[in-house]
Amino acid sequence: MNVQLVKVEEEQKSILAHLIELYEYDFSDFEDSDVNAYGLYGYSYLDYYWTEAGRYAYFIQVDGKLAGFAMVCGYCYVSKEPDTHSMAEFFVMKKYRHRGIGKQAALEVLNSHPGSWELMVHPNNQISHVFWENVIRQAASGEKKTVENVEGVYENGLGTAYLFQV
């Protein structure tokens, strides 16, 4: 199984937008969100990935097939250190979960952007907590810090931030 991280080009933005809809649908289990009048969740920050520095969007591919995406930016809720990376969004389609694909892709994203990181996880997404704690344990060099009850992140709950260095 060949797992690759491929930069999303601007002309592929609509493909990423479709995958984000699947991600938002999955995430609605935690946020209790609804689709808009057009039947879409939407993602208001998508265009910024091609207009603002410090934003990166990647497709996760398995044997050349789309399996998910990762989106990195510099917006952090807790970290005040300059040049801290944030995993804005990370998604692996259900078919590809529990096979080590997400972990491999996550490690590749983190290692592609060495330095300070902040990862925010929804308080009700226990699977995500376990996943990211495992990834961080393997990726982090040095001190790791967890900050509970971060306000202003999610509509229906306080976030948990993981801060570490890669």
Side-chain angles (χ1 to χ4, degrees):
M1 194 169 358
N2 181 25
V3 179
Q4 285 187 297
L5 207 60
V6 179
K7 184 179 180 215
V8 179
E9 299 298 331
E10 188 170 9
E11 57 270 9
Q12 298 170 307
K13 182 173 27 175
S14 64
I15 299 167
L16 180 58
H18 291 301
L19 291 175
I20 289 172
E21 289 298 312
L22 299 173
Y23 165 73
E24 293 288 353
Y25 172 75
D26 273 5
F27 208 74
S28 69
D29 282 349
F30 308 109
E31 278 294 284
D32 193 33
S33 48
D34 290 306
V35 295
N36 62 23
Y38 301 102
L40 301 170
Y41 291 98
Y43 187 75
S44 55
Y45 306 107
L46 185 60
D47 288 333
Y48 297 133
Y49 282 83
W50 292 275
T51 60
E52 286 186 2
R55 289 185 183 258
Y56 309 91
Y58 303 99
F59 288 128
I60 300 167
Q61 294 183 345
V62 175
D63 297 330
K65 295 182 174 132
L66 289 172
F69 63 85
M71 298 170 78
V72 176
C73 72
Y75 184 84
C76 296
Y77 291 90
V78 175
S79 178
K80 302 303 178 210
E81 289 187 37
D83 301 321
T84 299
H85 304 291
S86 172
M87 188 72 74
E89 317 297 344
F90 186 86
F91 174 68
V92 176
M93 290 190 283
K94 287 183 180 183
K95 172 182 177 178
Y96 297 101
R97 294 179 191 168
H98 309 291
R99 296 165 61 184
I101 292 164
K103 182 177 181 181
Q104 186 176 339
L107 289 168
E108 190 171 337
V109 172
L110 295 173
N111 289 322
S112 295
H113 301 277
S116 299
W117 274 90
E118 176 178 306
L119 280 162
M120 193 64 64
V121 180
H122 195 284
N124 298 332
N125 191 345
Q126 292 307 310
I127 291 171
S128 184
H129 282 276
V130 172
F131 172 81
W132 285 113
E133 287 169 4
N134 187 15
V135 168
I136 293 166
R137 196 171 17 262
Q138 188 169 339
S141 61
E143 182 184 351
K144 299 172 283 253
K145 182 179 178 183
T146 303
V147 179
E148 304 279 349
N149 302 321
V150 178
E151 294 181 346
V153 184
Y154 301 107
E155 279 187 40
N156 297 330
L158 303 172
T160 299
Y162 295 98
L163 304 149
F164 57 98
Q165 297 282 323
V166 173

